[in-house]
């Protein structure tokens, strides 16, 4: 759960969270040397409730609006009223080296007419957030049979024109951190496009060699 917290309510919100059992809760952002108190701005979107908590402690209090990729996705979700995925990011609680994405579902106060962007912005209370480690997601989806068939399996964010390398790749460790999408697309390759969260995800399967 990602609440919307105004700057005027920041101190009271932090105190209430600490009283609620979140010891040392503070609204924070990433900086050199790790997390630090979030810079002053009109409003914040901190991680407040996360399940499971074990392994995700670093994310608690992290202001998602302090990061450009996360901020762009939450603003798009807020204004559209739709589920929106971020571009690939590194999760603040990530201990390995794999890409992640966060998926925002906007929540609004009840009893409001939300036909326009200004109305949605005024009624926004926060976001339900899904957090996904792309490597874990793809690895758990590929069978052992697929792994032994001399294939390369790669997942790309086709909406990201600045990054043509895979979010995760299976079957070609020597090619790490991955090959550009164009190098795998050929006559013998299989590809499937999935539209989710306002982004296009391309799965490519190609023979090795």
């Amino acid at each position: 759960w990602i609440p919307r917290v105004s700057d005027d309510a920041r101190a009271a919100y932090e105190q209430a969270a600490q009283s609620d059992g979140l010891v040392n809760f503070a609204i924070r952002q990433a900086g050199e040397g790790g997390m630090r108190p979030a810079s002053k701005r009109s409003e914040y979107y901190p991680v407040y409730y996360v399940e499971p908590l074990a392994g995700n402690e670093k994310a608690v209090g992290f202001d998602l609006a302090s990061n450009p990729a996360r901020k762009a996705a939450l603003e798009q979700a807020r204004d559209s009223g739709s589920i929106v995925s971020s571009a690939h990011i590194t999760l603040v609680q990530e201990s390995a080296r794999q890409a992640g994405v966060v998926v925002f579902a906007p929540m609004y106060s009840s009893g409001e007419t939300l036909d326009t962007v200004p109305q949605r912005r005024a009624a926004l209370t926060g976001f339900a957030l899904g957090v996904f480690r792309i490597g874990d997601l793809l690895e758990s989806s590929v069978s052992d049979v697929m792994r032994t068939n001399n294939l390369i399996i790669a997942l790309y964010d086709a909406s990201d024109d600045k990054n043509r390398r895979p979010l995760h790749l299976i079957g070609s460790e020597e090619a790490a951190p991955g090959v550009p999408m164009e190098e795998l697309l050929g006559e013998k390759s299989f590809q499937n496009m999935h539209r989710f969260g306002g982004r296009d995800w391309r799965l490519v399967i190609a023979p090795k060699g």
Side-chain angles (χ1 to χ4, degrees):
W1 168 241
I2 313 297
R4 179 187 192 181
V5 180
S6 68
D7 186 55
D8 291 342
R10 176 177 177 171
Y13 198 94
E14 291 175 332
Q15 181 60 52
Q18 294 169 16
S19 299
D20 198 33
L22 294 177
V23 180
N24 299 322
F25 179 90
I27 298 176
R28 304 170 300 151
Q29 65 186 46
E32 293 185 8
M35 288 291 185
R36 60 182 178 82
S39 301
K40 182 180 176 63
R41 41 187 166 264
S42 61
E43 57 186 21
Y44 312 89
Y45 294 90
V47 176
Y48 184 80
Y49 177 80
V50 59
E51 176 63 33
L53 179 59
N56 292 304
E57 292 89 349
K58 287 184 179 179
V60 176
F62 176 60
D63 177 21
L64 294 169
S66 66
N67 171 267
R70 294 169 173 86
K71 186 173 186 287
L74 72 83
E75 288 180 342
Q76 183 182 349
R78 175 199 65 194
D79 291 352
S80 67
S82 302
I83 292 175
V84 172
S85 172
S86 71
H88 87 279
I89 57 171
T90 299
L91 302 172
V92 296
Q93 64 269 46
E94 181 58 62
S95 57
R97 297 178 62 186
Q98 63 173 306
V101 296
V102 289
V103 179
F104 294 91
M107 299 292 162
Y108 303 97
S109 55
S110 60
E112 299 285 348
T113 300
L114 304 176
D115 296 327
T116 68
V117 169
Q119 289 170 340
R120 295 188 188 104
R121 290 181 178 180
L124 183 75
T125 59
F127 298 90
L129 183 73
V131 178
F132 300 92
R133 293 178 169 92
I134 300 300
D136 293 349
L137 187 65
L138 190 60
E139 292 282 348
S140 65
S141 302
V142 175
S143 68
D144 292 338
V145 172
M146 289 284 288
R147 295 174 189 273
T148 58
N149 278 344
N150 208 36
L151 297 173
I152 294 174
I153 303 167
L155 181 67
Y156 297 86
D157 180 357
S159 298
D160 188 351
D161 294 332
K162 297 180 180 179
N163 179 28
R164 307 302 289 174
R165 296 188 177 277
L167 300 177
H168 190 72
L169 183 144
I170 296 173
S172 184
E173 294 182 2
E174 66 276 9
V179 293
M181 189 187 309
E182 291 77 11
E183 293 186 19
L184 288 185
L185 296 177
E187 293 183 0
K188 296 182 179 181
S189 68
F190 166 85
Q191 58 176 311
N192 197 346
M193 189 79 80
H194 300 269
R195 180 76 175 174
F196 176 74
R199 305 188 72 84
D200 294 317
W201 311 93
R202 190 190 300 259
L203 178 69
V204 178
I205 303 175
K208 294 182 180 179

